[in-house]
Every structure is written in structure tokens, then in C-alpha cells.
Amino acid sequence: MDDKHHTSKTVAVVGGGLCGALCACFFGKHGIKVHLFELRSDIRQQEVVVGRSINMALSKRGRDALNYVDCEDLIVKNGIPMYARMIHDLDTRTHPIPYGTSKDQHILSIDRRILNELLLTEADKYPNITIHFEHKFFSWDPDQKKAVFYDGNGERREFSNLDAIIGCDGSYSAVRNALMKFEKINFSQDYVPSHYMEFRIAPMNGEFAMETNHLHIWPRREFMLIALPNLDKSFTTTLFLPINIFNAIQTEDQLIDFFQTYFPDAIYFIGKKNIITNYFSSKPLPLISIKCAPHHSSSASMVILGDAAHAMQPFYAQGMNSSFEDCLILFEQLNAYNFDFKQAFLGYSEQRVANSHAIVDLSYYNYLEMRDHVSQTSYLVRKKVDNLFYRLFSSYWIPLYSMIAFTRIPYLKCLQLKQRQDKILKTFRVISYTIFGLYLFKEFAIRVIKPLAIKFIVRKILPNFVAEKVV
Amino acid sequence: MDDKHHTSKTVAVVGGGLCGALCACFFGKHGIKVHLFELRSDIRQQEVVVGRSINMALSKRGRDALNYVDCEDLIVKNGIPMYARMIHDLDTRTHPIPYGTSKDQHILSIDRRILNELLLTEADKYPNITIHFEHKFFSWDPDQKKAVFYDGNGERREFSNLDAIIGCDGSYSAVRNALMKFEKINFSQDYVPSHYMEFRIAPMNGEFAMETNHLHIWPRREFMLIALPNLDKSFTTTLFLPINIFNAIQTEDQLIDFFQTYFPDAIYFIGKKNIITNYFSSKPLPLISIKCAPHHSSSASMVILGDAAHAMQPFYAQGMNSSFEDCLILFEQLNAYNFDFKQAFLGYSEQRVANSHAIVDLSYYNYLEMRDHVSQTSYLVRKKVDNLFYRLFSSYWIPLYSMIAFTRIPYLKCLQLKQRQDKILKTFRVISYTIFGLYLFKEFAIRVIKPLAIKFIVRKILPNFVAEKVV
């Protein structure tokens, strides 16, 4: 146990994005002194933030974490509930597939920038949190308890008396790179062929151009388009496409042909001119998955959260939610070990690594599902079976999506429960097929074999006997 | 095509270890100007090099590469041929398992330091190669064709007019880290639980303490000990052990007990005192596997070779051999494209990545085989079958180890051929078992069923007829 009382401790949180800002609030709430470092300047002072988008879809895990620092309601007010996916077919017909079984089970569309600004403002309210913008992490010396940063003017800035360094600095985490020098980290990063590009569906006549409370999906097997509603009645629209198709579309005609073939209604919503301008002025962005184990070094007093520890495909909308849940898990451990960092960091890592890996894998599978399966009948049947079973045995049978989005069941457990459900359904299917097969055979026997047999007996067998008798 | 003739080009080779020194010679031989950078000071000036050992086992791929720069003979003179594994059983009995089918098929034990010194001296002979020791790679700017290094005094040193940068800087490659900023690289690094520690078997009465021309192995399932002969008649001996067992051995008694139980004859060869002194003065070292794709950036004129591109478990002795073969593949491409770096680097990457992945995987499997299977009868039977087939159909059936060590068949192809062999043997086994089963059944029918049937007929059936007749 640490002999120093925890409120006299100081931590450096690296990264002032969603995860870092929230994590700072967690430490702030417990009276720990926090230096929060962000590479870029304060987004609250900027006109436009380029890049970083894909609207966020906030669900249970993220909300519980926000609730821990008393800002769930504030955030929810700034979001738009989405109760269902809205599937756009090739022939422009649409049909919804609900996320849950009640209105209560929804996910919340929220603008990344607004969320980040709100969280930074929350962090600013704590007297024990100091935010340093334009600070680039350079090095960490756990023996001297000293971290070095470079500020916006390229000046070296040293921060001393730090009891721990918390890396919330995203997929290309500099803190993780430093951690890898202290610990033997198993690490992998994988790019998928799909890249993404954003478009905007502006309001029409001052109203949302499409059904508001939905996450719109145009699933087209190898690729897809999605759209999430914003408070200003626009939709943030994202095209996911293999890079070789992006590269093949070189002219305006090719681009419009492509949209005409695969997303005809989206041309109407986005506007031909906007599609062209946007496409030829932006660059497709890559998607990366990251796995890493462990998530900490006890001896070097380091821990990583969020994308730094587990970047994932955005298709389960769990990137942010899992990052926020990291804060909850870390603080469960900090509370359990009375803020002994070494023990809590180890505990967090032991709790979290397998679940991080599971959600990274699940996010990849959901990518396949969203772009492909959602348009298949088998998928719809499974959804209906899932929901039926959920209604009948709600404590025993929760659909995978609901477990991920509407509960805090650990991700690995969700994956395992889903695999068990698959097994049960498979057995069920085999039994049904067998019974149906037997029934069919019985019907076949009665309707086909029986008359044939009778006919055979009457025509071929009986005459022999009759003939004999006659003779 | 480059318009500049290739002898007017300049490259930076980063890393003056085995791979970097050889790679510099390849460029040197083609008249290209080379700056060769090594982080450490010149090992030729040092008394003892700490760390970095596991004697090298040079085989075909490595020798062909050395031959390309005319120093195969020089190196071979400094090595000791090993014709067979020498297996040490728990009861101290030993038995050899040959590597090939003739004396010609051997691997060469060679001291890493001697090899490195010889290659640096070779590089020094080229007037167009300049070696810079104590130079740490810092950054590469492909547009300015400029690389920045920091020298031993911490001074920044810039090198300009570089047409390409070649990363031969090992598992923790700084060049690879730079490459990952220019290209989307799929990357993984994995540590296995096993760590290693070195011991030395000194000469006894001026002679080798064990059979000379062998790679000695003490396979013990979860762990193993190996020993390779040196020119000074000692053996470099390496213990591979899961880290938790290393950590559990805390006292001299525990250590000697451990050796007494698992490597009783090794105590005699190494010496009890040496084991104790060595064990408690050194630290177990980790083993890392690295995969990375692609191995290059054409736009940034970068390419990586050796451990930087594919670190592997040392158990196939292909770390160095595959690194040397990288040079051959790279120069096949450079020659084919008349030293157009962009095309050649792409060609090298396309040729090499799948093979790199294959040898990393194979090295891991051979780790399982060496520590475990070599002591099993099934393994010995397979070796005998392999060698028999090899003698019978030498162009169609080459044992996996021979393909890897004694040919230049691409690694992936070796792996695929091995899988085909496994399938053929499995079919063969199933057919044999079936025939044997039928034979057994025939024998059973003749020897057991036939007499029983006769007995049954004679005793139970015939009497009925006889009785009837009597009646």
C-alpha cells in the first residue's frame, strides 16, 4: 500500500481527447492533482476542427462512466436518440431494424467535437486539474518521477513529482511507445483495406432530410454508407470503401455512376455537386485495429486507456464507449486498492486485456455484418428469434448487440454468451429440421409410398394369387 | 527507370550488425556509395561484447549470400560443421539425429562476434563504403534526401544526398518506426513465455568436452538446453526456460536441484560452480517474434531487412540465414530493375513478405519440435520415413528441415510442401491401417471364426440331420 494519502498525489494524463478529458475528471473528482496534456490547441477556441469525425454513438458503458463524474445528463441533452437502424436497399426502399425491444434501448448520436468541448469544460471546473494545450509528450522517467514535453514553441517543458502517467493519447500513442521500452508488450496493429470519407446531408426546408431517430445504413457487401443525425438537423454521412475502389474513381462521371449504382437515394440527399466537391477535395482515411498486452507497467507507474490500448473498427460504436468504460474499470481497481497505483494498474490490466481483445474482434465482425449480413434474410430471422427469446427469457437470452450496447457485461463474456447462443440455435435448428424431415417423410410415406404400394399390390401381387386360383 | 546511373547513387545502411555489414558489402560490390551506421562502437576494438550471442548456425541461404560478395570461404574457415543433433536423454544417454542424408548436408556453428568482425572488415575494404560507429538514427526526410543521426557525443549529424535508407537495425528497428510513419504497416510483435540464458562448457584437457560436430540438445518438453561448438573448443550453451521457472529458482540449492533433475550430465560439463556464478550474475533474456508488411516504402525510398522486418524464435537457426537471403532477394530485384530503387523495393517486398511470415511461423513450430517432439518416437519415425522417401525420390520429397537449411526454396513454398507431405503420409497411414486391418480380419476369420463355425456346424447343425436320419 502507498503510504502517501491519495489526495496528495499527482498524475499526468496525456491526451485531451474524449478519453483523456474524461479520465482527468475521474482523477479530479477524487481530489488527485492532474496535469492534462493535449498535443493540439484548445478546440473550444477554434473555428473548425478538420478530420476526426464519424459521429459518436453513446451507449450504456459510456453513459455509466459519464454518470461517475456527474455529467451524463449534460451530454445526453446534446445527443439525438437512435432507436433503430434504417436500412436503405438498392431500390431506395427503406426498412427499420430496432436496436432493442423498447424505446429505452437506444443509442445516442453525438457530435465528437461538442462532446470533447463539454468534457474539457467539465475538467476545467476542477481546481485540481490543469490543462496544458500544445504539449507534445516526449519522455517519462519513473525513477525521477519526471515527464518531458515540448510545447507549441518547441520549448522543452519538464514536469516533476508525477506519481503516474496515464496514456489516453490514441491509436498512435506516444505513451504506449514509451511503455514498450519499459515492458515486454505483445502488440499488433492491422489496417483493413476499407478506408472512409465523410459527406454531409444538409437539412431540407429546415428539417431533417431523412427519418431522424435512426442510424441510416446502405449495406452493399464490399462497402457501405452510414449516416448519423446531428442537432443542427444535418446528417454526418460516412462512406466506407476498399482503397482500390477509392483509387479507381478518378473522374466526376465515375463518381456519380458509382453513387447512382449503389446509393441512388443518397445522391438526392447529399446533392450531386456536394458529392463531387467533397470527394475530390478530401482524402480517404485509413482504419486501424490495435491490440496490446498488458495495458500497464507497475514498475514504471504507467497505464494506457482508450485507443492507445485497443483501437478498433468503428462498426460497433464501441471505440468511445469502451474507452470510457476503461476509466470505470481503472477506478474500480483504484478504489479497491485505496489508490495504490502499482496494484491498481496491474488489476486494471488483468481485468481489461482479454475484454479489449474481444471488443476489437467483435468490432471487426460487426463490420462484416453491417456491410453485408444486415441485408440478408437469415440476419433478419436471427434478429427476430433473438428478440423473441429475449422477451421470453430476458435474463437468460440477451442478443449480442444488446449485451454490448445496453449492459456492462464484460466484452469477452458477451462474445462467449453469443457463441453459446449460436450453439443452442444450431442444435435447435438440427432438431427442427429432423422433426420436419420425419414429418415430411411420414407425409411422403402416406401420400406417395402408400398409394404406390397399394397399387403395386393390387396390380402386380394380387393378380398372381387370383391367377393361380383361376388356374 | 532512374535516369541517374546506379554507381552515382548513395545509400544509408542503418545497423552494422551481421545483416547491415553484409548488406553494405552488396551495395559496395555494385559500386554504390554507402554510409554504414552503427549505434555501438567498433566491436573490433572492444575486449568483450556483452549480451548478443546464441552461436550462429550458418546454412545454404546464408552461404549463398556470403558467396555473392566473395567471402563464403573466409567465413566457412571460421566455423565448425555440425552434421547431426546430439540428443541428451534424461538418463544421460545420447544419440545423434543427422541433419541430412550426407556429410555434405551440415550446418556451420560460428561465433556471432567473429562473423560480425569479419564482415565489417570486408566492408572496410570497399573504397565506396564509409562506416560510422556510435551513430544513432534519428530521422529521415525523403524529399530532402537527408537523414539525421546523433553521434556518441550527442551531436546532431546530418547526411544529405541519400537516395535510399536501408534499415538493418534489428528487432527494435528505429528505421522501421520511421517507415511506419510513411506507410500503413501491419505489424505485430510477440513475446513467448520462454527466456534464455547462456552458459559455457569449457574445453576439458584441451579438447572438446563433448562430441564436436554436433548441435547438442537436451529436450525437456517445457524447456531445453542446447550447446554449439566454438573454435576454441568450448561450447556456447543456452538454457531456454519459461520466465516463471527462472523466477522460481531463487537459491543455489534450487538451481542445482533443477539441473540435477533435468540436465544431470550438463552439471558435469558446465561445472556446478560455473552454473551458480553464471545464473546469479545474469538476467534471463526475452525472445521476440516480429511480423511486418510491407517491408518498404517506395515513395519514401525505404526498405527494411533482417530482424527489423522479421524477427523470429532462434530455433530454426534461420534468423541470420533469412536476413542474409534478404540481401540476395533485394539484389535480384535491384538487378532486374537496373537499380531503380522504387521498383526494386516494391518487388523485394512483394517477394519477401509472405516468406518472412512463413519462416517466423516455422521458427515458432520448430521451437515446439525441438523442446518436445525430438524426444518422441513418432518424430524419429517421421525422420526415418522422410529420409527414406528423400533417398527414393530425392527431387520430389525433401524433408522440411533440409528444404529450409540446404535449399533456397522460398520459405512459404517449404511450408506448403511440408503440408502436402503431411497429407500424403496421412493418406498412406490410413490406407496402411485399412489394409492391415483387413489382413488382421482375414487372419481372425481364418483362425478364429472358421474353426468356431466348423465346430458349430459339426456339433449343432449336423447332429440334427444325423438325428433325423437315425429317427
Side-chain angles (χ1 to χ4, degrees):
Chain A
M1 299 287 280
D2 267 18
D3 48 354
K4 195 168 161 189
H5 190 264
H6 75 260
T7 53
S8 66
K9 288 189 173 175
T10 307
V11 298
V13 175
V14 180
L18 301 176
C19 180
L22 179 66
C23 187
C25 293
F26 269 69
F27 280 104
K29 185 174 168 152
H30 282 276
I32 290 172
K33 199 172 159 197
V34 180
H35 289 284
L36 175 61
F37 299 94
E38 167 57 35
L39 178 65
R40 289 168 297 175
S41 56
D42 191 344
I43 46 167
R44 292 168 298 181
Q45 324 277 311
Q46 293 164 26
E47 283 296 305
V48 182
V49 179
V50 184
R52 304 299 286 278
S53 193
I54 302 183
N55 269 30
M56 301 287 121
L58 183 66
S59 54
K60 170 80 175 166
R61 294 168 207 261
R63 289 177 68 152
D64 278 15
L66 292 168
N67 187 45
Y68 191 100
V69 291
D70 313 308
C71 54
E72 183 182 1
D73 293 342
L74 169 73
I75 305 297
V76 169
K77 267 200 309 212
N78 284 279
I80 297 174
M82 300 182 288
Y83 301 106
R85 309 157 187 87
M86 180 65 81
I87 308 299
H88 293 247
D89 292 335
L90 257 181
D91 58 9
T92 76
R93 275 187 301 187
T94 58
H95 55 98
I97 306 176
Y99 280 118
T101 45
S102 69
K103 280 252 163 181
D104 202 39
Q105 295 192 332
H106 62 263
I107 58 180
L108 211 76
S109 172
I110 186 160
D111 182 275
R112 183 191 186 99
R113 178 177 176 161
I114 293 175
L115 183 52
N116 204 346
E117 291 183 354
L118 289 171
L119 288 174
L120 285 171
T121 302
E122 280 301 304
D124 259 341
K125 290 182 190 163
Y126 292 94
N128 47 331
I129 297 180
T130 318
I131 310 184
H132 309 268
F133 290 101
E134 295 182 62
H135 272 64
K136 185 181 165 75
F137 173 76
F138 180 71
S139 67
W140 164 238
D141 180 340
D143 299 324
Q144 305 284 322
K145 305 176 87 177
K146 196 176 74 182
V148 177
F149 290 78
Y150 279 87
D151 69 14
N153 304 317
E155 296 289 322
R156 182 186 171 95
R157 301 281 315 273
E158 288 191 9
F159 293 82
S160 302
N161 300 316
L162 299 172
D163 295 292
I165 188 153
I166 322 291
C168 303
D169 50 345
S171 301
Y172 301 96
S173 170
V175 175
R176 185 186 61 226
N177 285 341
L179 173 64
M180 287 169 83
K181 284 169 192 157
F182 291 107
E183 296 288 331
K184 293 188 282 289
I185 305 280
N186 287 347
F187 171 79
S188 71
Q189 67 175 45
D190 285 287
Y191 289 91
V192 290
S194 278
H195 282 51
Y196 70 95
M197 184 182 279
E198 294 206 346
F199 298 87
R200 183 167 178 268
I201 295 178
M204 284 186 177
N205 310 319
E207 280 308 317
F208 283 100
M210 305 183 295
E211 294 81 352
T212 314
N213 297 111
H214 293 75
L215 194 162
H216 294 262
I217 310 181
W218 291 254
R220 298 293 182 266
R221 295 193 166 260
E222 286 302 300
F223 43 87
M224 67 170 174
L225 190 72
I226 64 170
L228 281 82
N230 294 314
L231 279 183
D232 68 359
K233 304 196 173 172
S234 67
F235 283 88
T236 301
T237 311
T238 314
L239 172 65
F240 296 93
L241 197 65
I243 187 70
N244 56 329
I245 304 186
F246 267 120
N247 290 338
I249 299 173
Q250 295 280 359
T251 67
E252 296 185 4
D253 285 349
Q254 286 171 338
L255 179 63
I256 296 304
D257 268 5
F258 174 79
F259 268 81
Q260 194 61 57
T261 312
Y262 296 108
F263 314 113
D265 52 343
I267 299 189
Y268 170 73
F269 293 124
I270 308 175
K272 212 176 266 195
K273 221 175 117 189
N274 291 333
I275 291 177
I276 292 170
T277 317
N278 194 87
Y279 186 90
F280 291 104
S281 67
S282 33
K283 235 182 88 176
L285 297 170
L287 297 167
I288 192 170
S289 284
I290 283 172
K291 287 183 184 175
C292 151
H295 289 346
H296 82 296
S297 167
S298 284
S299 59
S301 300
M302 302 177 84
V303 70
I304 52 175
L305 284 78
D307 285 356
H310 47 67
M312 64 197 73
Q313 307 296 321
F315 307 103
Y316 236 114
Q318 285 296 308
M320 175 186 69
N321 288 292
S322 64
S323 300
F324 284 8
E325 195 181 38
D326 286 350
C327 298
L328 283 175
I329 306 282
L330 178 61
F331 276 77
E332 271 168 31
Q333 297 292 322
L334 283 165
N335 285 314
Y337 289 111
N338 197 24
F339 285 79
D340 175 323
F341 287 158
K342 283 187 200 315
Q343 290 193 50
F345 290 177
L346 171 66
Y348 160 77
S349 209
E350 284 180 348
Q351 285 278 318
R352 203 54 176 161
V353 165
N355 291 312
S356 293
H357 289 2
I359 190 60
V360 172
D361 290 337
L362 280 165
S363 297
Y364 182 72
Y365 300 143
N366 209 43
Y367 161 57
L368 302 179
E369 181 168 305
M370 273 179 89
R371 68 172 197 182
D372 195 354
H373 306 161
V374 285
S375 53
Q376 291 174 3
T377 316
S378 61
Y379 175 82
L380 296 174
V381 169
R382 172 64 191 260
K383 283 269 166 237
K384 290 214 185 295
V385 170
D386 264 354
N387 286 336
L388 174 71
F389 280 31
Y390 184 37
R391 272 172 221 270
L392 294 174
F393 330 102
S394 58
S395 345
Y396 301 99
W397 190 286
I398 311 175
L400 179 62
Y401 191 91
S402 302
M403 289 193 278
I404 298 292
F406 308 128
T407 79
R408 281 205 53 218
I409 298 171
Y411 291 121
L412 180 61
K413 182 88 184 162
C414 296
L415 186 58
Q416 289 163 342
L417 286 172
K418 165 68 159 55
Q419 285 161 346
R420 213 184 60 180
Q421 290 173 3
D422 286 348
K423 250 190 211 162
I424 293 173
L425 286 187
K426 198 182 161 185
T427 312
F428 206 74
R429 220 161 40 229
V430 169
I431 294 173
S432 316
Y433 288 166
T434 309
I435 292 173
F436 185 61
L438 286 173
Y439 169 78
L440 277 188
F441 182 73
K442 197 195 89 185
E443 289 296 303
F444 178 74
I446 292 172
R447 298 199 189 167
V448 181
I449 299 180
K450 200 173 143 191
L452 279 179
I454 291 172
K455 207 185 272 178
F456 182 75
I457 291 166
V458 171
R459 300 221 181 137
K460 301 281 176 186
I461 312 278
L462 282 186
N464 292 332
F465 292 97
V466 177
E468 264 173 38
K469 276 192 180 167
V470 169
V471 172
Chain B
M1 299 285 280
D2 267 19
D3 47 356
K4 197 168 160 187
H5 190 263
H6 74 262
T7 53
S8 65
K9 288 189 172 175
T10 307
V11 299
V13 175
V14 180
L18 301 177
C19 180
L22 180 66
C23 187
C25 292
F26 268 70
F27 280 104
K29 184 172 169 154
H30 282 277
I32 290 171
K33 200 172 159 197
V34 180
H35 288 285
L36 174 62
F37 299 94
E38 166 56 35
L39 179 64
R40 290 168 297 176
S41 56
D42 191 343
I43 44 164
R44 292 169 297 181
Q45 324 275 311
Q46 293 165 27
E47 284 295 306
V48 183
V49 179
V50 185
R52 304 298 287 280
S53 195
I54 302 185
N55 270 30
M56 301 287 120
L58 183 65
S59 54
K60 169 80 174 167
R61 293 166 207 264
R63 289 177 68 153
D64 279 14
L66 292 170
N67 186 44
Y68 191 99
V69 291
D70 313 307
C71 55
E72 183 182 0
D73 294 342
L74 170 74
I75 304 298
V76 169
K77 267 198 308 212
N78 284 279
I80 296 174
M82 299 183 289
Y83 301 106
R85 311 158 187 83
M86 180 65 80
I87 308 300
H88 293 247
D89 292 336
L90 258 182
D91 58 10
T92 76
R93 274 188 302 186
T94 59
H95 55 97
I97 306 176
Y99 279 117
T101 45
S102 68
K103 279 252 164 179
D104 203 39
Q105 294 194 332
H106 62 263
I107 57 179
L108 211 76
S109 172
I110 186 159
D111 183 274
R112 184 192 186 98
R113 179 178 175 163
I114 292 176
L115 184 51
N116 204 347
E117 290 184 355
L118 290 171
L119 289 173
L120 285 172
T121 302
E122 281 300 304
D124 259 342
K125 290 182 191 163
Y126 292 93
N128 49 328
I129 298 180
T130 318
I131 311 183
H132 308 267
F133 290 100
E134 296 182 62
H135 272 63
K136 186 182 163 76
F137 173 77
F138 180 70
S139 67
W140 164 237
D141 181 338
D143 299 325
Q144 304 285 323
K145 305 176 86 175
K146 197 177 73 181
V148 178
F149 290 78
Y150 279 86
D151 69 14
N153 304 316
E155 297 290 324
R156 181 186 171 97
R157 301 282 314 274
E158 287 190 10
F159 293 82
S160 301
N161 299 315
L162 299 173
D163 294 293
I165 189 156
I166 322 291
C168 303
D169 51 343
S171 303
Y172 300 97
S173 170
V175 175
R176 185 185 62 226
N177 285 342
L179 173 65
M180 289 169 83
K181 284 168 192 156
F182 290 106
E183 296 288 330
K184 294 190 281 290
I185 304 280
N186 287 347
F187 171 79
S188 72
Q189 67 175 47
D190 284 288
Y191 290 91
V192 290
S194 277
H195 282 50
Y196 70 96
M197 183 181 280
E198 294 206 347
F199 297 87
R200 183 168 180 267
I201 295 179
M204 284 186 177
N205 309 319
E207 280 308 315
F208 282 102
M210 306 182 295
E211 293 82 353
T212 313
N213 296 109
H214 293 77
L215 196 163
H216 294 261
I217 310 180
W218 290 254
R220 299 294 181 266
R221 295 195 166 259
E222 286 302 299
F223 42 85
M224 68 172 172
L225 191 70
I226 64 169
L228 282 82
N230 294 315
L231 279 184
D232 69 359
K233 303 195 173 173
S234 69
F235 284 88
T236 301
T237 311
T238 314
L239 173 65
F240 296 94
L241 196 66
I243 188 69
N244 58 329
I245 304 186
F246 267 119
N247 290 338
I249 298 174
Q250 296 279 0
T251 67
E252 296 185 3
D253 285 350
Q254 285 171 339
L255 179 62
I256 296 304
D257 268 4
F258 175 77
F259 268 81
Q260 194 62 57
T261 310
Y262 295 108
F263 313 113
D265 52 343
I267 299 189
Y268 170 72
F269 294 123
I270 308 174
K272 212 176 265 194
K273 222 174 118 190
N274 292 333
I275 293 178
I276 292 170
T277 317
N278 194 86
Y279 186 91
F280 291 104
S281 66
S282 34
K283 235 180 89 177
L285 297 170
L287 296 167
I288 192 171
S289 283
I290 284 172
K291 287 183 185 174
C292 153
H295 289 346
H296 81 296
S297 167
S298 285
S299 59
S301 300
M302 301 177 85
V303 70
I304 52 175
L305 285 76
D307 285 356
H310 47 66
M312 62 197 74
Q313 307 296 322
F315 307 105
Y316 236 114
Q318 286 296 309
M320 175 185 70
N321 288 294
S322 65
S323 300
F324 284 9
E325 196 181 37
D326 286 351
C327 297
L328 283 175
I329 307 280
L330 178 61
F331 276 77
E332 271 167 32
Q333 298 292 321
L334 283 167
N335 284 314
Y337 288 112
N338 197 23
F339 285 78
D340 176 324
F341 287 159
K342 283 188 202 312
Q343 291 194 50
F345 290 177
L346 171 65
Y348 160 78
S349 211
E350 283 180 348
Q351 284 278 318
R352 204 54 177 159
V353 165
N355 291 311
S356 293
H357 288 4
I359 190 61
V360 171
D361 290 338
L362 279 166
S363 297
Y364 182 72
Y365 300 143
N366 208 43
Y367 162 57
L368 301 179
E369 181 169 305
M370 274 179 88
R371 68 172 198 183
D372 195 351
H373 305 162
V374 284
S375 54
Q376 290 174 3
T377 317
S378 62
Y379 175 80
L380 297 174
V381 169
R382 172 62 190 260
K383 282 269 167 236
K384 290 212 187 294
V385 170
D386 264 353
N387 285 336
L388 174 71
F389 279 31
Y390 185 36
R391 272 174 223 268
L392 293 175
F393 330 103
S394 57
S395 345
Y396 301 99
W397 191 286
I398 312 176
L400 178 62
Y401 190 90
S402 302
M403 288 193 279
I404 298 291
F406 308 128
T407 78
R408 283 204 52 219
I409 299 170
Y411 291 123
L412 180 61
K413 182 87 183 166
C414 296
L415 186 59
Q416 289 164 340
L417 287 172
K418 165 68 159 56
Q419 285 162 347
R420 213 184 60 181
Q421 290 173 3
D422 286 350
K423 251 190 210 163
I424 294 174
L425 285 187
K426 199 182 160 185
T427 313
F428 205 75
R429 220 161 40 228
V430 170
I431 295 175
S432 317
Y433 288 167
T434 311
I435 293 175
F436 185 61
L438 288 173
Y439 169 78
L440 277 188
F441 181 73
K442 194 195 91 185
E443 288 296 303
F444 178 74
I446 292 172
R447 298 199 189 166
V448 181
I449 301 181
K450 197 172 146 193
L452 279 178
I454 292 172
K455 208 185 272 176
F456 182 75
I457 292 167
V458 172
R459 299 216 184 139
K460 301 280 176 188
I461 313 279
L462 282 184
N464 291 332
F465 292 96
V466 177
E468 265 174 34
K469 278 195 177 163
V470 171
V471 173

